[in-house]
Amino acid sequence: MKIILPLLIACCCASAVAPAFSADPVTLRFSWWGGKARHQATLEALKAFEAKYPNIKVKAEYTGWDGSYSRLTTQINSGTEADVIQTNWNWLTLLSKKGDGFYDLNRLTGQLDLSQYSAASLATTTIDGKLNALPLSTNVMAFFYNKVTWQKAGLAFPTTWDGLLEAGKVFKEKLGDKYYPIYVGEQDSMLLVFSWMYQQDQKPMLDLEKRKLAWDHEQIVKALGFYKQLTDAHVLPNMKVLGSYGKGTALYEMMPWINGEWAGSYNWNALYPAQSHSLPVDSDLVLGPYLMLPEAKDAGQFQKTAMMYSIGRTTKHPKEAAMLLNFMVNEPGGVIPVGMERGAPLSKVADTILREKGILTDSDPVIAPLLQSFALPNKFVATPYMEDSQFGAQFTAARESIDYGKKTVEQAATDFEQQANRILKRVMR
């Protein structure tokens, strides 16, 4: 029997929106981040939109992930943000605490078919009754492996954390110092360590009521100590190794990943296309088992509303911006070119379109991690504050100080505790 995702229920109905717009020429700005595959897919969809609406031109503004939040913050503060913006879930707590940071999409139902979304999914992006964004997909952290490199190492994919630690030693001995079982990015490293910690006692990292870390000092030391254990065991390249390849490029676009030297990742399921397209053969990247401690009662796996589309608060063309939004998420011309580049769509009609085209199946590498997650004991409820850029930067700073030998784990934990609590008190008020 076909498995149906809770927020991806297919619907045979088509978008019923019949937009009315001025015949006067309009230029919209559309900003997003991503890798080359997402850029190309989105540009193709925009060409289709301009062909359908020749009086509306779209200026594409696309970048990589690095700096995307700070760039948007600067634009919002100066009232120069784009008309349509790809946004991240945790940005709502930072940029729209009262729900007025973005245009209220509830005001645009004449051009935007919101009936394609479940009430539950829209609730995740609604603040004080104002719909700040359309949630595009559900995102979950998962383990992906380059099967070719793992075969060279003579190893099966690990099912436990101890198995991952053992794999690091085998990689170094059989393949050499440049080879690692996985890599992790800045945020990914914290979520990886968090999952390991949560599996032990189901204790959250943050105390939302007290606006501070829920972990005490000993637990922070334990968490950072596990990170050091992973790097010492050659499971993942440390910050010093990663830094030697420069910055400004996504890790999955760097040569060690392309060459198979970094033989896996702990990353979002929505990033599977970007990661796999960087390899010589896309299908070499496969989903691995989710690592669990033997007695774990909960996976501690971070699952959240993924990327979103918002309309800029200062837009001069809200109706045309809503038409573009509707085209991207509900109409074949926008849905098919983008495919799974932003994850499995939450729009019912988009889900139907992609399934009928054979682009979306339950065995798809983007869908499979979601199904895996739903099958796990995974009651942990994600909070957007764990994705706060300033908070995450403190965890990165702790890793860096350990990896470069500037501080002991104990010292790094002390600094992280002090700085993180200071930041949380401010951003959670």
Side-chain angles (χ1 to χ4, degrees), residues 266-305:
Y266 183 65
N267 217 327
W268 300 110
N269 66 300
L271 282 178
Y272 176 86
Q275 293 187 96
S276 62
H277 291 342
S278 296
L279 299 179
V281 179
D282 288 21
S283 59
D284 285 347
L285 188 65
V286 298
L287 175 69
Y290 197 82
L291 302 185
M292 298 286 287
L293 291 171
E295 304 300 324
K297 297 179 181 179
D298 195 292
Q301 187 183 27
F302 206 88
Q303 185 185 120
K304 62 161 189 171
T305 292

Side-chain angles (χ1 to χ4, degrees), residues 332 335-341 343-345 350-367:
V335 171
I336 293 173
V338 173
M340 305 289 282
E341 284 297 330
D351 181 275
T352 299
I353 291 169
L354 293 183
R355 287 185 184 276
E356 289 177 347
K357 288 290 184 180
I359 298 173
L360 190 161
T361 64
D362 288 336
S363 61
D364 187 279
V366 176
I367 296 292

Side-chain angles (χ1 to χ4, degrees), residues 140-352:
V140 66
M141 295 295 290
F143 291 91
F144 297 99
Y145 299 111
N146 183 328
K147 65 181 182 181
V148 174
T149 305
W150 278 79
Q151 288 168 359
K152 288 180 181 177
L155 292 174
F157 302 143
T159 59
T160 65
W161 297 97
D162 284 344
L164 182 63
L165 288 166
E166 287 299 319
K169 299 174 184 177
V170 174
F171 265 67
K172 184 175 182 178
E173 292 172 358
K174 285 193 173 183
L175 303 180
D177 288 343
K178 291 185 178 181
Y179 284 81
Y180 296 87
I182 63 172
Y183 79 81
V184 289
E186 294 187 2
Q187 181 191 65
D188 312 333
S189 64
M190 184 178 72
L191 298 182
L192 178 75
V193 170
F194 168 78
S195 182
W196 178 80
M197 290 284 290
Y198 197 82
Q199 287 180 20
Q200 298 172 62
D201 54 16
Q202 291 78 62
K203 185 172 183 178
M205 189 177 189
L206 306 184
D207 187 323
L208 301 183
E209 292 186 3
K210 295 182 179 179
R211 297 183 296 157
K212 59 179 291 188
L213 288 166
W215 289 352
D216 59 26
H217 182 73
E218 289 184 1
Q219 289 169 318
I220 298 170
V221 170
K222 184 177 181 180
L224 290 175
F226 180 64
Y227 166 74
K228 190 173 188 304
Q229 185 180 1
L230 291 171
T231 58
D232 288 348
H234 206 75
V235 169
L236 49 87
N238 64 26
M239 295 284 286
K240 192 173 182 179
V241 173
L242 294 177
S244 68
Y245 292 96
K247 294 184 178 181
T249 302
L251 295 178
Y252 52 77
E253 292 179 346
M254 291 184 174
M255 290 309 299
W257 172 258
I258 296 171
N259 293 337
E261 295 167 1
W262 299 344
S265 70
Y266 183 65
N267 217 327
W268 300 110
N269 66 300
L271 282 178
Y272 176 86
Q275 293 187 96
S276 62
H277 291 342
S278 296
L279 299 179
V281 179
D282 288 21
S283 59
D284 285 347
L285 188 65
V286 298
L287 175 69
Y290 197 82
L291 302 185
M292 298 286 287
L293 291 171
E295 304 300 324
K297 297 179 181 179
D298 195 292
Q301 187 183 27
F302 206 88
Q303 185 185 120
K304 62 161 189 171
T305 292
M307 290 164 284
M308 313 178 300
Y309 282 148
S310 298
I311 291 180
R313 182 188 57 183
T314 61
T315 182
K316 296 179 180 178
H317 308 289
K319 292 184 178 180
E320 288 81 1
M323 290 164 58
L324 174 57
L325 253 184
N326 195 73
F327 185 84
M328 295 295 295
V329 302
N330 290 330
E331 298 184 30
V335 171
I336 293 173
V338 173
M340 305 289 282
E341 284 297 330
R342 288 180 173 86
L346 291 174
S347 162
K348 300 169 191 175
V349 68
D351 181 275
T352 299

Side-chain angles (χ1 to χ4, degrees), residues 128-144:
D128 288 347
K130 303 179 184 70
L131 183 59
N132 275 226
L134 281 184
L136 301 182
S137 57
T138 298
N139 230 354
V140 66
M141 295 295 290
F143 291 91
F144 297 99

